[in-house]
Amino acid sequence: MYKKIKGLRVSALPGNAQFAYMLDVADNAKANATIAEKLSSEIASLDKSLTTEDAFMKATKESEELTADIYALVDERRELYMGYKRVVTGFAASPLADVAATAKKLMKHISAYDIDVYSQLDKKTGDFVNFAKDLATSYKEDVNQLALTAFATAMAEKSEEIRQKVNRRDEVSSRMKGTMKAARQQVEAAYKTLKEHINAHIELEGDEAYADFVDTLNAKIDRYKREVLHGAAKKKKADEPQKGKNDKGKTDADPAKQPTTGEQKQDKAEEPQQDPKPSGENTELTPAPADDKPDDGKPSDDGEKGLTPAM
């Protein structure tokens, strides 16, 4: 019986784990002289699809980082704006007439824009850009009089930084042609083809030239099944809340349906008495669930069928 590559549900692997597994497969295939020579086109196809998936992963990561930065900057700008409004409102109640008059002038400016800090990102960014520009030009002397230049400058800087990051995120998104799902499916298809062709060559030629590659890959497959697939399933099951269970693992009963003491005694008295089982009688036991069956040469986990290469 020749050694062959085992089955693995690669579609169930998490993104990073799937990518790492496929990289190892491609590298090991290129390191095997026989596989590299006879299956060069299949390896090239896997490499090409991995390049596409890698680009998607990098773009997705950068987009997520930019989004996190944008949210943080939006929060900072909102706090600056709210702080500015509170200070201006406070100065409007100043006993100094000129200070109060300047503050009231700035309050009218605030009311004119009526910025909703929770509105759509691009809309409020446009509002903030123009608002900060007014403070730096038309209302510059008023802002200086009340020592609010730091607020005005910071709001302008945050708005510009947000605008630049949003534009960068749009640029990153424009490079992502298609979807990550499609990119993964291309990788999985290329892997399946390579695997089937290797197993087919083994069937025709024997496994001597392929044994090291197969042993290495099968060990990796066993580990991925045990640690990535099976381990993730166990963690998911452990994390699921147990409905109807209390802290001790027992089912909580409905107090309204609990019989009273008198009812319990009456029910017990009405229960028919059963004859005890004779001693030595066997008691049926529920068998414990069996562990995962070892690989026995039956159809693989991913349902792949063998393929014989054209001679």
Side-chain angles (χ1 to χ4, degrees):
M1 187 68 180
Y2 296 133
K3 297 178 180 180
K4 291 187 177 180
I5 302 171
K6 296 179 180 180
L8 176 65
R9 290 185 298 117
V10 291
S11 61
L13 295 175
N16 291 337
Q18 182 254 29
F19 185 74
Y21 174 79
M22 295 299 180
L23 279 179
D24 289 342
V25 171
D27 288 344
N28 290 340
K30 284 178 277 190
N32 183 288
T34 302
I35 296 175
E37 178 184 354
K38 295 186 176 183
L39 298 171
S40 58
S41 62
E42 288 84 347
I43 295 173
S45 178
L46 180 58
D47 277 338
K48 182 179 178 180
S49 59
L50 281 170
T51 299
T52 301
E53 184 179 9
D54 185 39
F56 264 98
M57 292 177 68
K58 289 177 179 177
T60 300
K61 185 175 184 297
E62 183 178 0
S63 180
E64 290 173 351
E65 290 175 349
L66 286 167
T67 298
D69 291 344
I70 290 167
Y71 279 133
L73 288 167
V74 167
D75 288 342
E76 292 171 9
R77 183 179 62 184
R78 181 178 63 249
E79 292 303 315
L80 284 168
Y81 176 68
M82 299 305 292
Y84 172 80
K85 285 179 65 176
R86 286 192 295 269
V87 173
V88 172
T89 301
F91 276 128
S94 172
L96 301 176
D98 58 334
V99 171
T102 299
K104 289 175 181 178
K105 180 181 178 181
L106 292 176
M107 286 184 68
K108 287 182 180 179
H109 179 241
I110 292 171
S111 299
Y113 272 87
D114 191 24
I115 297 176
D116 180 0
V117 293
Y118 297 103
S119 64
Q120 194 272 333
L121 177 61
D122 296 295
K123 178 183 181 304
K124 63 187 174 188
T125 295
D127 289 339
F128 271 115
V129 168
N130 289 328
F131 182 80
K133 187 181 295 184
D134 287 351
L135 296 182
T137 55
S138 304
Y139 295 87
K140 183 176 181 179
E141 293 183 1
D142 303 308
V143 170
N144 289 338
Q145 181 183 352
L146 300 184
L148 296 174
T149 304
F151 276 102
T153 301
M155 279 190 284
E157 291 174 348
K158 298 296 180 186
S159 294
E160 180 60 21
E161 195 171 353
I162 289 170
R163 193 179 65 82
Q164 290 180 4
K165 286 187 178 292
V166 168
N167 290 340
R168 173 60 182 166
R169 186 177 62 178
D170 291 343
E171 179 187 339
V172 171
S173 298
S174 69
R175 299 201 311 262
M176 299 170 66
K177 306 297 183 183
T179 64
M180 173 64 84
K181 181 179 179 181
R184 276 187 57 119
Q185 288 174 341
Q186 289 178 359
V187 171
E188 290 161 11
Y191 165 76
K192 181 179 179 180
T193 299
L194 177 62
K195 174 193 166 183
E196 288 177 345
H197 286 190
I198 291 173
N199 281 343
H201 276 281
I202 291 172
E203 188 69 30
L204 292 174
E205 305 165 16
D207 59 11
E208 183 178 356
Y210 307 90
D212 290 343
F213 174 84
V214 172
D215 287 341
T216 299
L217 186 54
N218 282 345
K220 186 179 296 294
I221 288 172
D222 289 339
R223 182 172 64 81
Y224 269 69
K225 287 180 179 179
R226 182 177 64 253
E227 299 179 8
V228 181
L229 294 180
H230 188 58
K234 286 179 65 178
K235 184 178 185 302
K236 181 179 180 181
K237 185 175 181 180
D239 291 343
E240 290 178 354
Q242 299 296 313
K243 295 182 179 180
K245 300 285 186 179
N246 57 26
D247 293 339
K248 296 182 179 180
K250 298 181 179 180
T251 303
D252 293 327
D254 186 350
K257 297 181 180 179
Q258 294 296 312
T260 62
T261 304
E263 291 173 342
Q264 289 174 335
K265 291 180 178 179
Q266 182 179 356
D267 291 342
K268 187 174 182 181
E270 292 175 355
E271 289 178 358
Q273 299 296 320
Q274 298 181 356
D275 294 333
K277 292 184 179 180
S279 61
E281 182 177 349
N282 292 332
T283 303
E284 292 184 0
L285 297 176
T286 303
D291 295 333
D292 293 340
K293 295 181 179 180
D295 194 316
D296 54 5
K298 293 183 179 181
S300 63
D301 293 353
D302 49 13
E304 296 169 5
K305 298 180 181 179
L307 178 65
T308 303
M311 298 299 292

